Amino acid sequence: MTIESTNPATGTVVDTFEDDSGADRDERIERAAETFPEWRTTPIERRQQLLAAAGEVLRENSEEYATLMTEEMGKPIDQSRSEVEKCAWVCDYYAEHAAEFLADEPVAGEPDAETKVVYQPLGPILAIMPWNFPFWQVFRFAAPNLTAGNVGVLKHASNVPGCARAIEDVFREAGYPDGAFSSLLIDSDEIDAVLEDDRIAGVTLTGSDGAGRAVAETAGNELTKTVLELGGSDPFVVLDDAPMEKTVETAVQARLINNGQSCIAAKRFIVHTDVYDEFLDRFVDEMDAQVVGDPMDEKTDIGPQAREDLMDDLHEQVEETIDRGGDLELGGEPMDRDGAYYPPTVITDPLEDSPADQEEVFGPVATVFEVSDEERAIEKANDTRFGLGASVWTADLDRGERVARRFESGLAFVNELVKSDPRLPFGGVKDSGYGRELARAGIREFVNAKTIWVQHEAGEETEMVE
């Protein structure tokens, strides 16, 4: 069977690929399992060198990879270029810091024993990745985990098969051994068979909470370690002393980045009543000023939604929210043009049980809530089953940090949009998942933190070595 890659801006086929048969799937997993013993014993300095080389491959082919992303899922070309550069950055980061993060840690214990914690890789790790950041999501997983000594098996989203194969080529060109990183072009209904394979030592998924529950259930039956990053409905809290010009400018960017299709995009704008009218007027004007068009055009701010069916789902959420009492301030209808284009949309005062209030709205749709005071703003921000990111805007940074500490989220920002950074742990709480990616915490998710106890002769004290 063939897999078609379709350009959501035009509906034309970008490329076709043969999917992996059951035999192909098994062969790739077996190759990963056979590669692991040698790869895990490769000195970490060599693994870091190869990761740095992968970063160089990304930079050398940036325009090719950026164009591929834009053609397959529709993000504006400039954002695709930035995504390639961010992938190279995460390679640079772990190429510099991985050995430090995984170094043996002496631990004080008995005076006549040497005790330490060592960090050892687990084996083949399955990564189930989404289409919205088709390079970044994969490299966010691969850079730390391959450098820790694991091998990677990728099951990418079905609408970005070209990106999946291109990423496999990046590691090959960088000099990684065959089997260190491989991609499976398989249907989603085959994932359980991979999860149940005893050669798979761990699984990480970025996707919907429904997909996360299904994967966690199957992996749990196998006692396989999981990390889940499951999206969110991030609040963007505007307090009465917010610096309005910067707040509105960032609010638009935070909602519309990646055509509005980001798990950490600001989705619920919670605004203090004293500045509500000013914020709403300026926000609607700025949203309306964004250029919707061909994602290959440098002047475009918003491209198409990644698939026609995703746009249809988004529109259903908008229609139901409005039917149940929300006020439409801007947009609200698919655009009358070829491609899966949905305009910037603003809804005010949605009912508490409406889709735009309770569900993740994955597209350029913002909901705006008016609240009477800071306490009510915090309550509304936390009134969601999700808990990925949150931000607060205020002229008083102490006040901002106090509010940020009260958000029920894995990430909390003051006077900045929510974003991922290789230097900081990334992940959520509640229905946004568990586990962490990036930084020191991320590279230690899929390793065995093993205690080593070396007993010396009685009375022989040991010297702890840093």
Side-chain angles (χ1 to χ4, degrees):
M1 190 177 77
T2 59
I3 299 174
E4 286 189 346
S5 168
T6 303
N7 187 329
T10 63
T12 58
V13 175
V14 177
D15 205 347
T16 58
F17 302 83
E18 290 295 325
D19 68 346
D20 291 325
S21 66
D24 294 333
R25 182 187 71 205
D26 186 72
E27 189 274 333
R28 284 173 175 262
I29 295 173
E30 180 60 22
R31 192 188 320 149
E34 291 176 350
T35 300
F36 173 62
E38 178 182 355
W39 181 244
R40 70 176 298 176
T41 59
T42 300
I44 193 167
E45 292 78 13
R46 175 58 179 161
R47 299 199 297 262
Q48 288 176 294
Q49 290 169 359
L50 290 172
L51 187 62
E56 290 306 309
V57 173
L58 286 163
R59 291 189 173 98
E60 290 167 4
N61 299 280
S62 175
E63 196 64 23
E64 173 189 342
Y65 300 145
T67 300
L68 177 60
M69 276 190 277
T70 294
E71 289 180 341
E72 286 203 317
M73 59 71 58
K75 71 175 64 196
I77 186 64
D78 188 56
Q79 294 182 29
S80 292
R81 294 188 188 110
S82 296
E83 182 167 337
V84 177
E85 177 55 38
K86 192 168 185 178
C87 293
W89 178 26
V90 79
C91 291
D92 295 344
Y93 177 77
Y94 282 107
E96 180 179 356
H97 295 289
E100 168 196 345
F101 293 158
L102 297 171
D104 295 354
E105 292 187 354
V107 179
E110 295 295 323
D112 55 354
E114 181 182 353
T115 50
K116 65 182 69 175
V117 178
V118 301
Y119 299 94
Q120 299 179 328
L122 299 180
I125 308 299
L126 173 66
I128 304 170
M129 292 291 126
W131 47 262
N132 58 332
F133 291 93
F135 267 63
W136 169 243
Q137 305 279 18
V138 177
F139 275 89
R140 195 169 75 186
F141 150 76
N145 284 291
L146 268 60
T147 313
N150 296 305
V151 295
V153 179
L154 170 66
K155 193 297 180 195
H156 217 326
S158 59
N159 60 327
V160 288
C163 291
R165 286 292 188 244
I167 293 167
E168 195 174 33
D169 289 342
V170 169
F171 289 107
R172 184 179 299 111
E173 291 181 32
Y176 280 73
D178 189 34
F181 183 90
S182 55
S183 174
L184 303 178
L185 293 186
I186 60 175
D187 195 76
S188 295
D189 61 12
E190 299 178 66
I191 290 177
D192 277 359
V194 181
L195 290 171
E196 292 166 355
D197 193 311
D198 59 12
R199 291 169 293 188
I200 297 297
V203 59
T204 180
L205 174 140
T206 298
S208 69
D209 60 307
R213 293 175 195 278
V215 166
E217 181 178 3
T218 303
N221 287 334
E222 303 298 320
L223 296 181
T224 301
K225 170 69 184 288
T226 56
V227 169
L228 304 178
E229 195 276 276
L230 305 179
S233 185
D234 288 7
F236 186 107
V237 173
V238 182
L239 297 179
D240 54 306
D241 61 347
M244 195 55 61
E245 183 174 350
K246 179 64 174 176
T247 300
V248 172
E249 176 187 342
T250 308
V252 173
Q253 179 187 4
R255 175 58 279 199
L256 299 181
I257 192 168
N258 206 49
N259 304 334
Q261 301 165 127
S262 171
C263 56
I264 53 173
K267 300 180 178 75
R268 296 177 299 129
F269 295 83
I270 301 165
V271 186
H272 192 288
T273 188
D274 288 355
V275 294
Y276 177 82
D277 290 339
E278 179 185 3
F279 174 86
L280 181 61
D281 288 346
R282 296 175 68 163
F283 182 60
V284 170
D285 287 346
E286 287 297 319
M287 290 280 278
D288 193 34
Q290 301 303 297
V291 177
V292 182
D294 179 0
M296 290 299 297
D297 188 332
E298 303 283 351
K299 297 179 181 178
T300 292
D301 298 308
I302 307 170
Q305 300 299 280
R307 297 196 313 261
E308 194 84 29
D309 63 303
L310 296 171
M311 185 184 71
D312 293 341
D313 292 343
L314 176 68
H315 187 50
E316 285 183 12
Q317 290 177 306
V318 170
E319 286 189 310
E320 184 177 347
T321 298
I322 294 169
D323 288 346
R324 296 170 66 175
D327 295 324
L328 182 65
E329 305 288 341
L330 179 70
E333 290 286 343
M335 300 182 73
D336 185 16
R337 58 180 297 171
D338 292 336
Y341 286 92
Y342 205 85
T345 296
V346 180
I347 301 171
T348 56
D349 300 320
L351 294 183
E352 290 190 355
D353 60 348
S354 65
D357 181 58
Q358 294 297 313
E359 302 171 7
E360 180 177 29
V361 180
F362 217 61
V365 178
T367 52
V368 186
F369 302 84
E370 182 176 0
V371 292
S372 57
D373 55 34
E374 177 185 308
E375 190 65 28
R376 178 57 185 148
I378 296 169
E379 290 175 4
K380 185 61 185 174
N382 291 335
D383 184 22
T384 173
R385 62 190 178 88
F386 296 105
L388 185 53
S391 66
V392 58
W393 293 78
T394 174
D396 184 340
L397 298 184
D398 290 337
R399 182 189 190 190
E401 183 172 348
R402 184 178 69 247
V403 172
R405 287 177 176 272
R406 294 184 62 188
F407 287 144
E408 296 170 358
S409 62
L411 311 163
F413 286 66
V414 179
N415 292 356
E416 180 60 284
L417 57 79
V418 178
K419 55 188 175 181
S420 57
D421 184 313
R423 299 164 295 188
L424 297 169
F426 182 91
V429 296
K430 301 198 291 189
D431 282 7
S432 289
Y434 52 75
R436 291 295 179 266
E437 297 177 301
L438 300 177
R440 183 189 300 267
I443 201 171
R444 290 184 175 183
E445 282 286 1
F446 290 107
V447 295
N448 175 18
K450 180 189 292 185
T451 295
I452 301 290
W453 180 304
V454 180
Q455 185 67 46
H456 292 257
E457 294 293 334
E460 179 185 353
E461 293 193 6
T462 63
E463 181 179 348
M464 300 299 294
V465 180
E466 293 296 334

